[in-house]
Amino acid sequence: MFRHLFKYNLKIMLRSKEMIFWTLLFPIALATFFQLAFSGMMDATRFDPISVAVVEVGGADEMFAETIRALSAGDNRIFELMDVKDEAAAVELLQEGEIVGFFLVGEVIEVVVRHSGISATIMQNVVDSYYQTGSVVAGILEFNPGALNMELVAGIHTGESVFQDVGDSEDADFTLIMFYALIGMVCLFAAFFGLSVVTETEANLSKKAARMSVSGTHKMVGLVVGLISSFVVAYAEMLILLAFMVFVLGVSFGSQVGWILVLSAVGILAGIAMGMVIGAATKWSDNAKYALVSNMSVVSAFLAGMMLWQMRYVIEAHAPIVNRINPATLITDALYSLYFFDSMDRYFANLMNLILITGVFVLIAYVFVRRKRYDSV
Amino acid sequence: MANSVIEVKDLEKSYKELKALDKVSFEVKKGEILGLLGPNGSGKSTTIGCLLALLKFDGGEVKVFGEEMTPESYEAKRKIGVVFQDVAVYDELTVAENIDYFCGLYVKNRAERKKCVEDVIEFVGLGDFKKFRPKKLSGGLLRRLNIACGIAHRPELIFMDEPTVAVDPQSRNNILEGIKKLNKDGATVVYTSHYMEEVEEICTRIIVMDKGRVIAEGTADELKAGVSIGEKVTVEGEVSRRVVEELKKLKGVVNVEVEDRKVEVVYEKGVSGLSGLVAFLTKNDVKYERIFSELPSLNDVFLELTGKELRDE
Ligand SMILES: Nc1ncnc2c1ncn2[C@@H]1O[C@H](COP(=O)(O)OP(=O)(O)OP(=O)(O)O)[C@@H](O)[C@H]1O
Ligand SMILES: [Mg+2]
């Protein structure tokens, strides 16, 4: 039975042109597009450090000045730090145009600038990021100062690419986040398969499923084999996409291949489970469900930074919970942390969340698929 | 009863407020072609859904092959073939693959299955289309494929829900002949339709349904015998008002209906009126183009039982 169902599931999936387009060709095209769009940008623009000053007043948080100092060192520094002795001196420099702005560090940290603009935004973002990451900054700083820079810079919208040396002088760029988010999207696209499996095994969702339900074969057998086949196809497509990104586009993923493969496997499971929930728990038309799956996947990836890598930092600032539960963000962040950090903690934290979310999806789906008789078919 | 294949007792089923089945009871005996005849929405498909343990129902009992039918009755399910009202096949698979796929849900042995698939393809006459995808098939051929997918595993009990809807006459005949043949080879068939001619042609027994109720049951002849009217003679031509009034007074005539150039004369049960009518028309110098007589049809049965026509075309 397994062989029979598996064989036909594969045939059906691989021959379904629309499905293959969305889950394989479209992501490859998108990745290629990203690469073309950013390859020029990466080399062309280098980042000019922003001249700033730090003014500490009563009750100042000394860690902050420390952080700015760290960000003002090295070849690819963000800031050019000017020494000032007090606020008046800083204001003077500001008026002379020597500095773009300064940080007024008291009970709270204020950013003082003459003009709003990109530089001002960067400064504000550094402050915001500092507040959010404050507690972990010290820890990271200790074993990987480069990472700290990355983290903080990541909160910045420059409209240009920023380079920082990471660990072993490898060039890092934030467009990687877009590729990672794309992988997140492709994982979620596995929801198309999950959706089609439930549709074809739940008798109230399609006549083909009704056929299976009245046959001599247990519906759950059909469902489980369907899910296995879906996973196999989706994972194979993922491997093709990863290979394409690495070998054709030259996207870097770091050296932790095994963990990348684990992550994408779990990501695909999350996608399949999401599709099952949409299929089993909602009562819309098939078309509406497919539209929902694709919209959810794309939006999820967008929030993770697929079109705009800064996106997830904007969300981190305004609705951090979204970043903890959005599957594409979890995938993106896990890949990103594999690449940028030596420690695996953050990777595992993301992976755990992803597994939890998958579990929740599976439970919800199970409540619906365990039915044996239906109110209507 | 020993040779009962299906026993349904007081089956009740509602969709929200709508009562779709109201105390439906009937029996299907081994070797029958039972016709479930009823207009659209009378509850035929719902009945089949309940019999197959696919639908929840509110009350009643369903026994198939002598045992209560449940979703877990795999033993029974393996001996049943179902052809649903709507075509359900995979567009991605060819004709032969579709049949093999569905047959494989019942028949595990590959050699045996291969034979089943070949035979059924022959049976429904899709030999030239084995490698076609369903999208390339005409409506009638698609229906035949749908049927083939439901019966390839040689079931003992076959449910067919309106398999001839929207089918060309050739495919329709092919399907009806096929059902008779399956029956001759030993299958018990439950056949639903709202085409009375079909039901009359192939079914050994008929259950007439309306609004979720069984309103009559018997062979076509038995059902027709229960109707109070007899022969119906239709005259096409110029018939004057006076003649119509005269007609109404003729012995044995229960009703006369005029529609344009068509006059329908309905006789009492047991009265044969054609020859008398011809004589009457000649005597009254009526010119007519056509005259023909019909015995009561299942439509009349239905009309009499419910006050409405069964036909919806
Ligand atoms: N899923 C459903 N939800 C609500 N009402 C339904 C549903 N399915 C059928 N009905 C209603 O139940 C009644 C019986 O429907 P059913 O499909 O059993 O009739 P049918 O005899 O098979 O008709 P048809 O010839 O159109 O196939 C109809 O009034 C129909 O509108
Ligand atoms: Mg029906």
Side-chain angles (χ1 to χ4, degrees):
Chain A
M1 188 50 63
F2 178 84
R3 255 189 68 161
H4 178 77
L5 290 173
F6 187 67
K7 177 181 104 180
Y8 276 110
N9 279 329
L10 288 195
K11 269 193 186 174
I12 290 164
M13 281 190 261
L14 296 178
R15 283 183 193 169
S16 144
K17 294 200 187 74
E18 213 174 329
M19 203 92 121
I20 297 296
F21 173 79
W22 285 111
T23 55
L24 182 63
L25 301 182
F26 175 65
I28 286 180
L30 213 51
T32 311
F33 169 78
F34 285 170
Q35 182 69 352
L36 293 176
F38 299 124
S39 56
M41 192 187 280
M42 277 187 250
D43 307 327
T45 52
R46 290 196 67 91
F47 185 74
D48 282 334
I50 306 163
S51 305
V52 294
V54 176
V55 178
E56 293 181 305
V57 291
D61 177 356
E62 282 170 25
M63 264 311 288
F64 185 75
E66 202 56 47
T67 304
I68 298 301
R69 215 158 289 137
L71 290 171
S72 310
D75 284 346
N76 296 306
R77 58 190 179 277
I78 304 168
F79 297 124
E80 193 71 56
L81 187 61
M82 304 274 192
D83 280 328
V84 290
K85 60 179 194 315
D86 55 23
E87 192 175 346
V91 171
E92 198 176 350
L93 282 181
L94 187 62
Q95 259 146 16
E96 287 165 5
E98 291 289 309
I99 56 171
V100 176
F102 61 87
F103 298 100
L104 190 59
V105 188
E107 301 268 310
V108 292
I109 302 167
E110 275 177 70
V111 172
V112 183
V113 289
R114 258 174 78 182
H115 310 286
S116 58
I118 287 174
S119 300
T121 312
I122 291 173
M123 291 174 69
Q124 188 56 52
N125 269 300
V126 166
V127 173
D128 292 347
S129 304
Y130 177 78
Y131 276 130
Q132 280 141 30
T133 47
S135 56
V136 294
V137 162
I140 297 177
L141 194 56
E142 239 156 60
F143 62 79
N144 193 349
L148 169 68
N149 284 6
M150 293 314 297
E151 263 304 83
L152 293 177
V153 171
I156 299 163
H157 174 41
T158 62
E160 304 153 87
S161 291
V162 179
F163 297 90
Q164 283 295 317
D165 283 352
V166 180
D168 17 286
S169 83
E170 220 178 319
D171 260 353
D173 77 84
F174 287 96
T175 56
L176 275 181
I177 291 177
M178 305 172 90
F179 288 105
Y180 294 167
L182 174 64
I183 289 169
M185 181 185 78
V186 176
C187 286
L188 294 186
F189 270 174
F192 284 121
F193 296 115
L195 171 56
S196 100
V197 170
V198 229
T199 307
E200 274 156 21
T201 48
E202 284 298 296
N204 59 338
L205 299 180
S206 76
K207 289 293 160 191
K208 287 175 224 165
R211 269 214 150 116
M212 174 169 279
S213 269
V214 300
S215 79
T217 298
H218 201 301
K219 169 185 98 179
M220 280 296 173
V221 174
L223 183 73
V224 169
V225 180
L227 294 176
I228 295 173
S229 327
S230 300
F231 180 80
V232 168
V233 171
Y235 202 52
E237 288 180 334
M238 177 60 77
L239 295 181
I240 294 172
L241 177 67
L242 288 172
F244 181 82
M245 282 184 174
V246 172
F247 299 115
V248 180
L249 301 182
V251 177
S252 353
F253 283 93
S255 53
Q256 311 257 43
V257 182
W259 290 116
I260 293 171
L261 296 183
V262 169
L263 181 72
S264 35
V266 176
I268 285 169
L269 291 179
I272 291 176
M274 179 177 101
M276 288 174 67
V277 171
I278 292 174
T282 65
K283 289 195 167 165
W284 301 308
S285 71
D286 282 0
N287 283 340
K289 288 178 183 177
Y290 278 97
L292 183 66
V293 164
S294 64
N295 290 342
M296 279 183 73
S297 311
V298 172
V299 169
S300 173
F302 173 74
L303 296 181
M306 187 173 74
M307 284 80 165
L308 205 63
W309 58 260
Q310 298 84 351
M311 201 60 209
R312 67 196 202 107
Y313 297 98
V314 173
I315 292 169
E316 192 63 49
H318 297 105
I321 179 71
V322 174
N323 278 355
R324 302 289 95 74
I325 58 172
N326 177 12
T329 303
L330 297 173
I331 294 164
T332 307
D333 199 63
L335 286 171
Y336 167 91
S337 65
L338 274 185
Y339 184 70
F340 287 115
F341 302 120
D342 298 330
S343 157
M344 294 293 287
D345 295 355
R346 184 152 155 188
Y347 171 86
F348 283 120
N350 282 306
L351 190 67
M352 270 322 294
N353 276 12
L354 197 58
I355 290 172
L356 278 178
I357 287 164
T358 309
V360 171
F361 283 152
V362 168
L363 279 181
I364 297 173
Y366 181 71
V367 170
F368 288 90
V369 301
R370 58 197 273 275
R371 290 172 301 186
K372 289 172 181 151
R373 287 186 199 250
Y374 302 85
D375 291 323
S376 66
V377 293
Chain B
M1 215 182 284
N3 63 350
S4 273
V5 178
I6 301 175
E7 289 162 83
V8 185
K9 227 166 99 193
D10 295 332
L11 194 58
E12 283 183 283
K13 158 88 187 161
S14 298
Y15 294 110
K16 307 244 164 63
E17 276 90 76
L18 184 106
K19 189 125 198 167
L21 296 182
D22 189 3
K23 300 243 181 236
V24 168
S25 303
F26 61 90
E27 227 176 275
V28 182
K29 299 204 178 67
K30 197 166 159 55
E32 276 191 315
I33 302 181
L34 178 88
L36 278 181
L37 178 68
N40 292 122
S42 54
K44 306 180 295 288
S45 299
T46 304
T47 305
I48 291 193
C50 293
L51 293 189
L52 292 166
L54 202 53
L55 288 174
K56 276 183 201 149
F57 47 84
D58 313 320
E61 250 179 61
V62 176
K63 280 189 181 174
V64 177
F65 299 122
E67 307 216 358
E68 196 199 334
M69 185 70 179
T70 70
E72 282 84 22
S73 304
Y74 291 106
E75 189 79 23
K77 284 181 175 182
R78 267 190 281 275
K79 296 192 280 186
I80 297 176
V82 186
V83 179
F84 286 107
Q85 187 166 358
D86 305 305
V87 174
V89 294
Y90 285 93
D91 290 335
E92 294 85 1
L93 300 179
T94 65
V95 164
E97 285 170 337
N98 262 299
I99 300 172
D100 184 54
Y101 171 74
F102 286 112
C103 187
L105 299 178
Y106 300 84
V107 181
K108 291 205 171 69
N109 184 295
R110 289 176 79 191
E112 194 186 324
R113 192 166 74 230
K114 193 155 173 270
K115 185 83 178 60
C116 284
V117 173
E118 277 168 12
D119 289 353
V120 83
I121 287 177
E122 168 109 0
F123 182 79
V124 296
L126 283 173
D128 296 337
F129 304 95
K130 275 188 217 171
K131 291 231 151 62
F132 278 51
R133 298 278 182 92
K135 282 231 165 14
K136 296 255 157 72
L137 297 179
S138 70
L141 295 181
L142 194 58
R143 284 271 162 188
R144 293 197 215 173
L145 170 61
N146 196 44
I147 292 172
C149 290
I151 62 168
H153 58 287
R154 301 188 178 135
E156 289 173 35
L157 171 60
I158 300 172
F159 290 91
M160 290 212 188
D161 199 357
E162 311 212 27
T164 59
V165 170
V167 156
D168 58 282
Q170 194 202 340
S171 285
R172 188 177 190 140
N173 283 340
N174 172 294
I175 291 168
L176 295 180
E177 287 310 311
I179 293 171
K180 283 197 220 167
K181 190 139 157 281
L182 287 169
N183 179 248
K184 221 170 80 206
D185 294 345
T188 306
V189 181
V190 176
Y191 183 89
T192 85
S193 179
H194 60 270
Y195 298 121
M196 54 194 170
E197 302 85 2
E198 276 183 4
V199 171
E200 197 165 347
E201 184 186 337
I202 66 166
C203 295
T204 51
R205 207 157 56 84
I206 299 164
I207 285 174
V208 186
M209 291 187 73
D210 185 44
K211 293 188 183 147
R213 264 182 238 164
V214 174
I215 55 171
E217 183 175 347
T219 63
D221 289 339
E222 283 166 6
L223 288 172
K224 285 191 261 184
V227 184
S228 62
I229 56 165
E231 194 178 12
K232 182 158 71 188
V233 184
T234 307
V235 181
E236 283 177 25
E238 209 60 61
V239 185
S240 69
R241 266 197 167 197
R242 185 188 58 81
V243 174
V244 170
E245 288 310 314
E246 289 291 317
L247 271 174
K248 284 185 179 164
K249 290 179 206 148
L250 286 183
K251 186 165 173 286
V253 172
V254 287
N255 193 17
V256 180
E257 264 179 47
V258 186
E259 205 193 313
D260 292 338
R261 295 169 45 79
K262 217 159 87 181
V263 180
E264 259 184 23
V265 186
V266 182
Y267 287 87
E268 251 168 44
K269 202 165 158 177
V271 174
S272 173
L274 182 60
S275 54
L277 186 61
V278 170
F280 172 81
L281 293 173
T282 314
K283 201 177 90 194
N284 284 278
D285 227 4
V286 175
K287 302 263 181 305
Y288 57 85
E289 289 104 48
R290 235 154 70 91
I291 184 164
F292 58 91
S293 139
E294 294 167 289
L295 286 168
S297 68
L298 289 176
N299 189 51
D300 297 310
V301 175
F302 195 79
L303 185 65
E304 197 158 303
L305 288 167
T306 67
K308 65 182 184 202
E309 301 263 335
L310 176 58
R311 292 195 185 93
D312 61 354
E313 309 98 312

